[in-house]
Every structure is written in C-alpha cells, then in structure tokens.
C-alpha cells in the first residue's frame, strides 16, 4: 500500500515519533559532520546530504556491547544479563544502508545460531529509508542484484521524494504499516500517478550511477586468484588504518573480551573488530595465518566478493562507496575488484 | 530463545599436571540436569570462560562415552590458559559449546584406525582414541603412534596401559631424545611412522600435532600409499565466537569453528595454506 506525506508533515511525523521512541537520523555533530544521531527535535534532521559519514549500523549492532555482567564471589558466579533494548526508529537512511541490515540479519541468524543481542535490537528497530535522488560518484549500488536508489530491501518504510515536494511512502513490513497507521492523519492515499512517478524517479536516479561492475565476473576472477601476484602490489598503499571496515554497512567481524573492574565484578563485551588489524588472527603463542598486509587486504576483498557469496549467495557489500571516501590513500574498492587477475 | 554467548557455570573437580606446561582439568556443571543432557562428539571443542579474564577455545579431551566430567588439557600459552593454570579444585568457570564438526566414526566401521600424535596434539586425539576403544567392536586394529620432544613431554602417561589392554590395540611411543629408563623408541614421529610401515589397506589415519610434524607425517602417509581421503586431521585457528559469526577463523569460505576443525587431507589440499 502506498501513501503520500507532505514535506511539512514529515517534520510533524518526526516529532510524533520522537515523542514515543528514540529516533536516529542524519544530523550534524559539533564538527559539522553529518552522522546518525539521536534527534531531540525534527529541526535537527539534516535530510539534505546523501550519505552520512558513518552508517546507522551501530544503532543496531553496537560498536561495543555488554553481553552480561559477571559477579564472582564466595557464593559462586552469577551472570546478569543486559537490559532489554528500547524501541528505536532509524529515519532517513539510504537504501544501501537498509540493505546492509538485511545482510547482517542473515549473518546473525546463520547456522541455526541466533545472536539475540543483535536480533532483539533489530526486532525493536523500525527503518525508514529515503530513495536517493542524487547518487554520488562513489555510489555503485546498481551493480548488486537488488541494489538501487529506490530499493526497499531491509526497509520497513521507503520514502521517495516527488517533484511536488511530498513523499511517496511505501510500507513493506508490519512495523512499517504500524508506523503509518499510528500516524495516519499525516498520510494521504497515493494515486497511480504518484507510483508512476516513482518509476520515473528510479530510471533517472539509476541513470546517474555510471559505474556498474559485473560482480559475477569478479567472483569468477577471484576464485583462482588467491595466489595471484596481483595481491603483492595492489595492497601497497594501504596504511592498515581500518577506516574502510569501520564505515562499512556490512562489515561485521567482532571480538569478545572481558573487562574486569575488580576481583568480583567483570563484564563480557563484544566490540567491532577489523580484519585489517594484525592481531585479528594471531593465536595465543604467536602463530598467525595472516601475518602481513597483503594477506589481510586480500582477505577483506575475497571475503566480501567471493567467500561471502559462497555462503550467502550475495556480496558482503551494498555499493554505498563509503570506504572509497574514508580511505586516506584513496583505495577504491571498485578498482581493486575489477582489476583482479 | 537461549543466549548463545552465555556459558554454563561449572566447577573444577580435578586437576592433573601432565607435563611442564600442560595441565588436565575435569569440570562439572553446577546444574546437574544440564550436565546430564549436555552431549558432544569427539573432535568438537568448547569455549572455556575464566571469569574476570576471558574466553579460550579447547577441544574436549574425553569422549561422550566417558562423560561424567568435561575434560580439557590446557597448555600454558596465552592469557586465558595462564589463568586456567592458576585454577584450583572447587573454582568456578564457564563452559559454552559444543562447537564444530567431529570425526565421522560412523563412516569408519570395520576399518583399522591409525592415530598419529605429537606433543600436546594427543589432547585433541584422546577423545577419538577413547571413543573408538570404547566402541572397539566397530573397528579392526587400532594403532596409536605418539611422540614428544622427551619422555617428560608425553601427556596422558597414566592412560597408556589401559588403552593397550584393549584387544588388537597397539601403542607405539617415541621421544625425539630418549632418557634414562626409556624403553620405547627414540626418533621423530615421521621417522618412526616410516619404520612401522602401516598398511593403508582399510585404514584411516588420524593425525594431530605441531605443523612441522603434520607436514612430514603427511608425506610419509602418502608415500605409504594412503590416499588424501584416508588422512584426517584437525585444524587450529584463532577463534572468538565458535559460531561462524565473528569472522576470524575462515580459510576461504569455510569457518574452522563451524565447518571444521576436522578435515580430511583431501579437503585441505584444495584450500590455500592460510591456516
Ligand atoms: S581505509 Fe584504506 S588504508 Fe585504511 S585499511 Fe582500508 S584500504 Fe587500507
Ligand atoms: S570463531 Fe567466530 S567465526 Fe569462527
């Protein structure tokens, strides 16, 4: 079912939402960087920029998350589990970020093991995405099977801006329907011309993304290329900062550590990790299967465009292009994977 | 929904010093009902929680057929294992698991089993060895070739005589360097293997030990006519989750914690040597 919401009502909607839930939307931080932040009022919403510097990933998959508290004293050991997560709304992320969540959902439910920290939080999260009118030069979402500036994968609601200033609002899940029915006064029913306009929007927006990569061909190139001399040189500019994995909507690798406060209290923590870090695979005793940058660099690209495809039938990438912008030495994922030989 | 990261609370019931840097532990869940229904298969591993320090991965040292306790042999190599060596009987730990795949014994009925282990590698093979001894009727001859740097470095010395008493079971011990009173072989495991010259006919070779030993044992086995399918080993990788989620234990698209740790050489030789 499709609806319409006017530009003015979007702000009213935001204020209505944040009266009952936490709402995370693009907003400027103290340094004027646009990030997903908790809105205090609709005026803080900065809807103009295409991509936030980092993704909204950390709102569901926390950068650092306490699994539980541990109390160890003369009565034994007690494990106190974390509080239940709050309901939140992620407002105004882009289709590539929403699809990133869809990819993470599968990983955290993979192999019959449900990661309940992520899953519970995701159950309480409503994702409202906005179609992209002006893709940037770093965008390459259309290279992916589902990717598009109007793709709804992972979104509960997708808003598409129309020429008259209002938005076409489509719902894809019960959560999405709930969001609209709870605020039904702000929405009108969309007419056929509006959904038709979205088709035009799609054609126009997709045409702006000039770079299209044949990912099936890339996978084929990668299969036999593990030992290829290509990796000997392509990694050389990399300074191992890990910025690429940090800004990625799909990078999920994590570490589990324990932090002791004293002899009695400690906490088990999960935190984002990066395959670009040397310690990532180093075993107790010092043996490390991925000792140098070449191996770690190869792992990052092979994982995203080869191994993950074997396991999940889709790439571990959505084409948002953030890693291209974040890399201090301008390593471009598109060039790296297309150049594999 | 149960929390996959939450360990069972367990107590240290017994500690035995095996060698200078290896100790064997017996654990039991505080919740006895949970202990009763807890099952694992030889080859699988667990994640031990030393509260206040962290988690570390160890294989089950005992088989399901001897499941009064959960046993692990731990070599002192890292933070968590050092903390484990500080444990005393009665201390509380956490255990989660079991994880990973296992030795496919059901496929090996009617075959000879040849175990080849070096050093602490026997810790990973004790569970399958005892499982096959406890189900000896399903197998033909069982040969255990085990070596270490010196007689002092052999684990499970107290178990050898029990193992040998099982019908059609043969134990061959070796030390790289002998010592006074040492009545067994002297020499590296691969060399002794060559000398023993086991026939590959109807035999599965199960090997575990330091990488360099594995390399030469593999060569000997292939020379003896074993096919890659007949050679089984278990891999070690840095692991955190044990569940195929934390993303660090992969070789290609395989996760050692989920698709391993048990592999045949036939599977391994097609993988890049990134382990
Ligand atoms: S952002 Fe660039 S330099 Fe930093 S680790 Fe990634 S590829 Fe290497
Ligand atoms: S240990 Fe986490 S993926 Fe294997």
């Amino acid at each position: 079912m499709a609806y319409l919401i006017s530009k003015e009502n979007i702000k009213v909607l935001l204020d209505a939402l944040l009266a009952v839930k936490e709402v995370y939307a693009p907003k400027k931080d103290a340094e004027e960087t646009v990030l997903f932040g908790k809105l205090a009022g609709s005026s803080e919403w900065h809807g103009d920029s295409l991509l936030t510097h980092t993704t909204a990933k950390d709102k569901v998959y926390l950068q650092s998350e306490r699994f539980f508290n541990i109390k160890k004293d003369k009565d034994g050991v007690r494990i106190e589990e974390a509080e239940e997560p709050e309901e939140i709304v992620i407002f105004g992320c882009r289709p590539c970020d929403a699809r990133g969540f869809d990819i993470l959902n599968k990983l955290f439910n993979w192999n019959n093991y449900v990661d309940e920290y992520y899953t519970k939080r995701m159950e309480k999260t409503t994702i409202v995405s906005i179609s992209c009118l002006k893709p940037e030069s770093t965008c390459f979402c259309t290279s992916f099977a589902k990717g598009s500036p109007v793709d709804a994968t992972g979104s509960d609601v997708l808003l598409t801006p129309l020429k008259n200033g209002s938005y076409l609002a489509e719902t894809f899940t019960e959560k999405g329907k709930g969001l609209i029915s709870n605020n039904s006064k702000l929405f009108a029913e969309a007419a056929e011309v509006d959904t038709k306009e979205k088709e035009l929007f799609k054609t126009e927006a997709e045409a702006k993304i000039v770079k299209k990569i044949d990912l099936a061909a890339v996978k084929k190139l990668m299969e036999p290329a593990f030992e290829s001399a290509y990796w000997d040189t392509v990694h050389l500019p990399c300074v191992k900062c890990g910025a690429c994995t940090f800004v990625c909507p799909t990078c999920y690798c994590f570490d589990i550590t324990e932090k002791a406060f004293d002899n009695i209290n400690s906490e088990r923590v999960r935190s984002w990790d990066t395959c670009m870090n040397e310690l990532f695979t180093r075993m107790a005793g010092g043996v490390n299967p991925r000792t140098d940058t070449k191996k770690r660099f190869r792992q990052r690209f092979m994982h995203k465009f080869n191994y993950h495809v074997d396991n999940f039938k889709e790439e571990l990438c959505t084409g948002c292009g953030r890693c291209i912008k974040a890399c201090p030495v301008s390593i471009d994922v598109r060039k790296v994977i297309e150049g594999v030989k | 929904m149960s929390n996959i990261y939450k360990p069972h609370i367990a107590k240290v019931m017994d500690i035995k010093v095996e060698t200078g840097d290896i100790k064997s532990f017996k654990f039991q869940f505080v919740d006895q009902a949970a202990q009763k229904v807890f099952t694992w298969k030889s080859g699988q591993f667990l994640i031990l929680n030393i509260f206040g320090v962290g988690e570390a991965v160890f294989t089950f040292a005992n088989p399901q057929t001897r499941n009064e306790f959960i046993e692990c042999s731990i070599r002192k190599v890292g933070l968590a294992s050092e903390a484990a060596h500080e444990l005393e009987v009665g201390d509380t730990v956490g255990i989660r698991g079991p994880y990973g795949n296992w030795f496919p014994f059901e496929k090996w009925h009617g075959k000879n089993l040849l175990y080849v282990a070096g050093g602490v590698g026997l810790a990973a093979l004790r569970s399958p060895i005892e499982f096959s001894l406890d189900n000896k009727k399903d197998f033909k001859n069982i040969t255990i070739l085990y070596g270490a740097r010196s007689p002092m470095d052999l684990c499970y010395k107290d178990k050898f005589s029990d193992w040998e008493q099982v019908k059609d079971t043969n134990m061959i011990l070796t030390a790289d360097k002998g010592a006074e009173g040492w009545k067994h072989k002297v020499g590296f495991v691969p060399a002794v293997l060559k000398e023993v010259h086991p026939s590959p006919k109807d035999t599965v070779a199960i090997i575990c030990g330091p990488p360099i030993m594995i390399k030469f044992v593999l060569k000997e086995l292939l020379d003896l006519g074993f096919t890659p399918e007949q050679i089984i080993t278990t891999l070690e990788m840095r692991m955190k989750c044990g569940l195929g989620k934390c993303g660090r234990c992969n070789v290609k698209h395989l996760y050692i914690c989920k698709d391993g740790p048990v592999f045949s050489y036939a599977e391994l030789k097609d993988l890049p040597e990134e382990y």
Side-chain angles (χ1 to χ4, degrees):
Chain A
M1 183 80 199
Y3 303 84
L4 279 182
I5 181 164
S6 67
K7 205 166 188 161
E8 299 71 45
N9 274 351
I10 281 277
K11 298 243 170 168
V12 182
L13 173 69
L14 267 177
D15 284 319
L17 289 173
L18 55 89
V20 287
K21 294 174 185 179
E22 289 184 358
V23 177
Y24 293 91
K27 77 175 214 189
K28 285 188 174 167
D29 73 356
E31 272 99 51
E32 296 277 294
T33 309
V34 183
L35 297 169
F36 272 88
K38 193 158 128 189
L39 290 195
S42 60
S43 59
E44 283 185 345
W45 173 43
H46 185 89
D48 300 343
S49 60
L50 182 80
L51 283 178
T52 45
H53 180 66
T54 52
T55 70
K57 175 175 81 175
D58 65 333
K59 303 299 173 272
V60 184
Y61 175 34
L62 306 193
Q63 201 186 329
S64 172
E65 167 158 45
R66 181 169 68 227
F67 276 176
F68 37 77
N69 279 318
I70 298 159
K71 246 188 174 28
K72 182 179 75 176
D73 56 27
K74 57 181 189 333
D75 301 326
V77 168
R78 270 151 302 146
I79 292 178
E80 291 158 6
E81 293 205 49
E83 319 74 51
E84 294 288 311
E86 303 278 331
E87 290 209 17
I88 66 164
V89 176
I90 292 174
F91 187 93
C93 73
R94 297 298 174 180
C96 51
D97 284 357
R99 199 161 70 75
F101 283 119
D102 185 62
I103 290 173
L104 294 181
N105 291 347
K106 292 170 197 158
L107 182 271
F108 284 118
N109 283 281
W110 194 33
N111 186 25
N112 291 327
Y113 289 119
V114 179
D115 183 303
E116 61 173 64
Y117 298 99
Y118 175 87
T119 309
K120 278 187 182 169
R121 202 165 260 114
M122 187 42 111
E123 277 167 8
K124 299 246 172 121
T125 302
T126 308
I127 298 174
V128 181
S129 311
I130 301 181
S131 303
C132 322
L133 190 55
K134 295 185 197 130
E136 295 177 16
S137 64
T138 43
C139 295
F140 63 111
C141 59
T142 50
S143 298
F144 299 82
K146 292 190 218 150
S148 155
V150 299
D151 172 44
T153 311
S155 299
D156 297 299
V157 178
L158 178 69
L159 300 175
T160 304
L162 301 177
K163 294 223 158 67
N164 63 11
S166 55
Y167 292 82
L168 181 77
E170 297 165 284
T171 58
F172 300 92
T173 61
E174 287 307 313
K175 280 189 276 188
K177 284 182 197 142
L179 185 139
I180 291 195
S181 61
N182 288 341
N183 299 281
S184 54
K185 279 201 223 98
L186 305 174
F187 293 90
E189 239 173 69
E192 213 187 307
V193 291
D194 303 316
T195 41
K196 282 247 169 66
E197 196 184 324
K198 188 191 164 194
E199 287 308 306
L200 276 172
F201 181 104
K202 176 172 170 357
T203 319
E204 258 177 58
E206 286 186 356
K208 286 180 192 145
I209 300 173
V210 278
K211 185 77 189 161
K212 220 173 157 178
I213 302 171
D214 182 346
L215 291 166
V218 165
K219 165 104 175 79
K220 276 218 188 74
L221 287 175
M222 283 186 152
E223 291 277 6
F226 189 89
E227 306 287 357
S228 165
Y230 176 64
W231 303 108
D232 294 343
T233 49
V234 67
H235 77 276
L236 289 175
C238 174
V239 296
K240 301 165 264 196
C241 64
C244 47
T245 63
F246 185 78
V247 299
C248 178
T250 63
C251 273
Y252 61 77
C253 291
F254 61 82
D255 196 1
I256 302 175
T257 51
E258 190 151 330
K259 193 163 125 204
F261 301 109
D262 50 47
N263 287 334
I264 294 170
N265 298 288
S266 59
E267 62 177 14
R268 185 69 48 77
V269 180
R270 180 239 306 272
S271 38
W272 294 0
D273 204 344
T274 167
C275 59
M276 300 309 291
N277 183 338
E278 200 213 320
L279 300 178
F280 188 65
T281 48
R282 199 174 82 175
M283 284 182 264
V287 181
N288 190 352
R290 292 200 279 266
T291 34
D292 50 58
T293 319
K294 167 188 147 184
K295 292 177 181 162
R296 298 195 285 276
F297 192 90
R298 176 176 63 195
Q299 162 68 14
R300 176 170 162 246
F301 293 97
M302 283 283 203
H303 184 199
K304 288 189 169 297
F305 298 95
N306 184 6
Y307 311 156
H308 197 81
V309 183
D310 286 333
N311 288 326
F312 291 88
K313 310 280 167 276
E314 64 183 352
E315 296 77 13
L316 187 66
C317 173
T318 67
C320 74
R322 278 195 186 80
C323 57
I324 306 170
K325 295 202 260 182
C327 180
V329 293
S330 305
I331 290 171
D332 185 331
V333 55
R334 298 168 297 185
K335 293 206 187 106
V336 172
I337 62 174
E338 273 194 320
V340 173
K341 50 181 181 273
Chain B
M1 197 153 61
S2 77
N3 185 347
I4 53 176
Y5 301 107
K6 192 177 162 184
H8 292 279
I9 306 289
K11 291 254 179 233
V12 179
M13 308 302 284
D14 187 53
I15 301 172
K16 191 173 162 293
V17 177
E18 298 283 355
T19 69
D21 60 354
I22 302 168
K23 280 185 181 178
S24 290
F25 297 84
K26 288 182 180 172
F27 305 110
Q28 217 166 38
F29 293 169
V30 171
D31 179 349
Q32 287 181 0
Q35 175 76 69
K36 278 226 169 65
V37 297
F38 187 80
T39 57
W40 69 91
K41 290 186 169 160
S42 295
Q44 289 192 294
F45 63 91
L46 57 82
I47 293 184
L48 183 69
N49 289 238
I50 310 284
F51 296 116
V53 180
E55 297 188 315
V57 172
F58 300 102
T59 46
F60 288 88
N62 57 324
Q64 182 65 55
T65 43
R66 307 180 183 195
N67 65 352
E68 190 187 354
F69 303 100
I70 293 167
E71 301 185 38
C72 286
S73 292
I74 300 178
R75 189 158 72 101
K76 207 171 167 176
V77 276
L79 218 61
S81 62
E82 269 167 36
H85 273 240
E86 302 288 307
L87 287 171
E88 288 171 16
V89 172
D91 281 353
T92 306
V93 297
I95 289 175
R96 61 183 180 93
Y99 300 125
N101 69 351
W102 49 85
F103 294 100
F105 279 112
E106 55 299 339
K107 284 201 237 155
W108 299 339
H109 286 179
K111 291 196 189 294
N112 301 304
L113 303 178
L114 167 67
Y115 292 99
V116 184
V120 72
L122 190 64
L125 295 193
R126 191 189 128 201
S127 175
I129 286 173
E130 293 187 339
F131 179 85
S132 52
L133 293 174
D134 293 346
N135 293 282
K136 182 65 183 47
K137 56 174 195 338
D138 294 334
F139 309 101
K140 290 209 286 207
N141 296 339
I142 295 180
T143 307
I144 303 162
L145 164 56
Y146 178 40
R149 263 171 305 165
S150 78
M152 297 260 295
D153 293 303
L154 294 165
C155 299
Y156 305 136
K157 290 185 269 276
D158 57 327
K159 310 235 173 258
F160 298 163
S161 62
D162 281 356
W163 293 357
E164 256 174 331
Q165 266 161 33
V166 180
K167 193 167 162 282
D168 297 325
T169 300
N170 182 18
M171 271 214 78
I172 303 154
L173 296 174
T174 183
D176 300 350
K177 259 199 259 128
E180 247 194 67
W182 177 247
K183 296 191 213 65
H184 303 273
K185 294 188 184 292
V186 173
F188 294 116
V189 171
V192 176
L193 178 65
K194 187 176 190 159
E195 178 196 323
V196 175
H197 212 81
S199 157
K201 194 170 176 295
D202 280 337
T203 303
V204 182
I206 302 147
I207 63 182
C208 188
I212 183 80
M213 183 209 92
I214 298 269
K215 203 174 145 193
F216 287 105
V217 165
L218 266 175
K219 190 184 166 295
E220 286 308 334
L221 289 172
L222 294 172
D223 286 352
L224 286 165
F226 281 78
T227 62
E229 288 75 20
Q230 284 174 282
I231 306 171
I232 313 294
T233 189
T234 146
L235 291 188
E236 229 189 299
M237 271 293 238
R238 180 162 172 91
M239 295 181 191
K240 283 287 177 171
C241 67
L243 303 154
K245 300 204 192 294
C246 76
R248 77 189 57 228
C249 71
N250 74 298
V251 180
K252 278 187 80 180
H253 67 290
L254 300 176
Y255 287 91
I256 304 308
C257 67
K258 153 184 175 291
D259 305 298
V262 177
F263 291 95
S264 73
Y265 180 57
E267 295 165 304
L268 286 186
K269 70 181 182 23
D270 293 334
L271 290 179
E273 258 193 66
E274 203 179 37
Y275 51 83

